[in-house]
Amino acid sequence: KEKERLEYLMLLGILGASMTYQTGLKPPGGLWQDNMNGHYAGNPILHDTNKHRYNAFFYGNSTSFMASIVVVVMLLPLTFHEHDLSLWPMHSAILLDMLSLLVAYAAGSTREWETSRNVMLLVIPVLLYIAVYVTASVFYNREGPVEPPTQTPASTARVTATPHQEAN
């Protein structure tokens, strides 16, 4: 089960890194195709048309990329050697990764600020879900493992008896 969890975290890290890398190569709004009207070929159009939105996209995307790389680098030693390390730093990095990706998506996905604001408001239910999940996991782990009840010889005999034998 622990190996599956590590593979899942590695998958999230690699997916986040590849997605943010591709978005960095082709930013929202596209790139200028020629050197005309004071623009340079290859520069992002969004940077020239709305610098604040481009900065929000750029820093959100860059933060997400770096958080993904951190997750992958932190998981590499765990995949090759048996370590008993806590996974909370990786979970925190993935949380930062996903929230930064949400900011980058909101900044680069639409042209109207109202739509981006609505996407940014999605952060609130996501954070509430994470808080409930963390709280539930803390209380579950605090109780410790549940041990099966001990059986007396009489209850063992009753469990192993077939329904036909109990009728007699």
Side-chain angles (χ1 to χ4, degrees):
K1 185 175 180 181
E2 187 69 23
K3 184 175 179 178
E4 289 177 4
R5 182 178 294 162
L6 293 176
E7 288 175 357
Y8 171 71
L9 292 173
M10 183 68 83
L11 175 68
L12 282 176
I14 291 171
L15 182 64
S18 63
M19 198 166 59
T20 55
Y21 181 77
Q22 289 295 323
T23 308
L25 290 177
K26 187 171 189 253
L31 303 170
W32 292 110
Q33 299 298 318
D34 52 15
N35 292 336
M36 297 179 69
N37 301 329
H39 306 294
Y40 296 101
N43 283 352
I45 294 173
L46 186 60
H47 181 269
D48 294 336
T49 58
N50 193 336
K51 190 168 182 157
H52 294 294
R53 290 176 65 89
Y54 178 76
N55 284 339
F57 160 76
F58 179 78
Y59 290 117
N61 196 55
S62 299
T63 302
S64 181
F65 179 74
M66 289 310 297
S68 298
I69 297 299
V70 165
V71 168
V72 171
V73 168
M74 289 172 69
L75 283 172
L76 279 176
L78 296 177
T79 57
F80 295 125
H81 307 292
E82 287 295 322
H83 292 285
D84 192 23
L85 297 176
S86 176
L87 294 180
W88 74 265
M90 284 163 267
H91 288 286
S92 301
I94 288 177
L95 176 63
L96 175 65
D97 181 11
M98 295 301 136
L99 291 177
S100 301
L101 201 57
L102 182 64
V103 169
Y105 174 77
S109 64
T110 63
R111 295 178 191 242
E112 295 89 28
W113 180 246
E114 291 79 21
T115 308
S116 293
R117 182 196 63 216
N118 293 340
V119 173
M120 294 298 275
L121 287 176
L122 287 174
V123 170
I124 294 169
V126 168
L127 290 177
L128 286 175
Y129 173 77
I130 291 169
V132 168
Y133 179 77
V134 168
T135 304
S137 68
V138 166
F139 285 123
Y140 176 74
N141 289 338
R142 191 176 287 176
E143 293 173 2
V146 177
E147 296 191 20
T150 57
Q151 294 182 347
T152 61
S155 64
T156 306
R158 197 174 302 133
V159 170
T160 58
T162 63
H164 185 268
Q165 291 171 336
E166 286 182 2
N168 293 332

